[in-house]
Amino acid sequence: MDLHFPRERVRSVRDFILRYLLIVAGILTALGVGQWNENRKAERLAAEAESAIREELTANAKDLRESIATNDERLAQLRPIIESLREKKTLAEARAWLKTNVKAGDITLGVSAPTLRRAAWQTATSTGAVRKMKPETLREFAMIYSAQEDIGGISAAITPHMFAGVLDVLSSRDGDAALADLRRGLMAVGAVNEVLGQNHRELLKQIEETLGSADATHAPQQPPADSQKPSK
């Protein structure tokens, strides 16, 4: 802001005070306008960041629903097999039962891990956009992304090779110890799947509530533990 004053001599104290006040008012106005512009820019940046985060969480929720459905299907396949193998007294009986009742591809060992994106959140924190968000909204976002990080760490630790050898005992080992290992291995797969499934459901609920679209019909329910056993 440019201020131009008359070049006349100051003729009185009153004239001096008026000119001084005009200068001060001009400086304060300029500073106020500048601060107002900065606030508008920061608020616009925060609004854009919040929109990007909501889009990112919407995509994460979609992947969570898909992973939950996939893992529920795998559990439904695995539970009756575990129950039936508990009743087999020898490895030969277990092999014969599996050969008759479980076809190739009927069972998938492992856990489906969702893609939990965080790029929008990282951008918002690195640019400082989070400072202009509402405290409640910021707290909810921070809790979600913290939970995502925890789940991501657990999922990363569960690598495919952890389950790869579970069924190898059917062809590479003999004896009661092999049958016990087979049972324990399958039960471990199921337990890991159940724990992660619960974590996925809790995170999905948290995201839906934060997005304001919590809908019980969207979140797959935990399948019943007493799935029907296959024929013996």
Side-chain angles (χ1 to χ4, degrees):
M1 177 181 290
D2 295 330
L3 299 176
H4 301 282
F5 303 98
R7 297 181 179 179
E8 300 176 2
R9 294 179 59 185
V10 178
R11 297 179 179 180
S12 64
V13 174
R14 179 174 177 275
D15 191 20
F16 171 79
I17 292 174
L18 288 175
R19 294 190 182 190
Y20 176 79
L21 292 176
L22 182 59
I23 293 172
V24 172
I27 293 174
L28 292 177
T29 300
L31 291 175
V33 170
Q35 186 62 43
W36 179 75
N37 282 331
E38 289 300 318
N39 285 337
R40 285 196 62 188
K41 291 179 182 178
E43 289 171 356
R44 183 169 60 251
L45 182 64
E48 292 172 351
E50 182 174 342
S51 177
I53 288 173
R54 290 183 179 277
E55 289 182 4
E56 184 171 75
L57 291 180
T58 298
N60 289 353
K62 179 178 180 293
D63 283 353
L64 277 166
R65 293 187 191 101
E66 292 175 353
S67 288
I68 289 171
T70 298
N71 289 329
D72 285 352
E73 182 180 355
R74 291 179 180 179
L75 269 176
Q77 298 167 348
L78 186 60
R79 281 173 174 155
I81 294 175
I82 293 174
E83 291 301 317
S84 294
L85 288 180
R86 283 176 178 170
E87 301 173 1
K88 307 307 174 188
K89 300 187 180 303
T90 66
L91 185 61
E93 290 181 10
R95 284 173 173 164
W97 182 88
L98 287 171
K99 183 177 181 180
T100 302
N101 296 279
V102 181
K103 299 178 181 178
D106 278 357
I107 179 173
T108 301
L109 298 181
V111 178
S112 172
T115 301
L116 299 177
R117 306 161 187 81
R118 56 185 297 111
W121 171 250
Q122 291 175 332
T123 299
T125 54
S126 64
T127 60
V130 294
R131 290 195 294 267
K132 279 294 182 178
M133 291 182 183
K134 294 179 180 179
E136 182 178 353
T137 300
L138 178 57
R139 182 170 59 254
E140 290 174 346
F141 285 161
M143 290 176 63
I144 288 174
Y145 281 100
S146 177
Q148 284 192 177
E149 186 173 358
D150 292 342
I151 291 177
I154 296 172
S155 298
I158 303 173
T159 54
H161 77 269
M162 293 179 64
F163 304 136
V166 173
L167 294 180
D168 288 349
V169 297
L170 296 177
S171 58
S172 61
R173 295 178 56 190
D174 291 304
D176 294 340
L179 178 58
D181 288 345
L182 175 60
R183 290 169 178 160
R184 282 194 294 267
L186 291 176
M187 290 176 65
V189 175
V192 169
N193 205 322
E194 288 181 347
V195 170
L196 273 181
Q198 183 60 34
N199 289 339
H200 291 167
R201 282 178 168 78
E202 292 174 357
L203 177 58
L204 177 58
K205 180 180 178 181
Q206 192 175 0
I207 291 176
E208 288 180 331
E209 290 176 347
T210 296
L211 296 178
S213 61
D215 185 349
T217 61
H218 285 171
Q221 300 300 311
Q222 184 74 29
D226 55 347
S227 301
Q228 185 179 359
K229 298 181 183 180
S231 60
K232 299 178 184 179

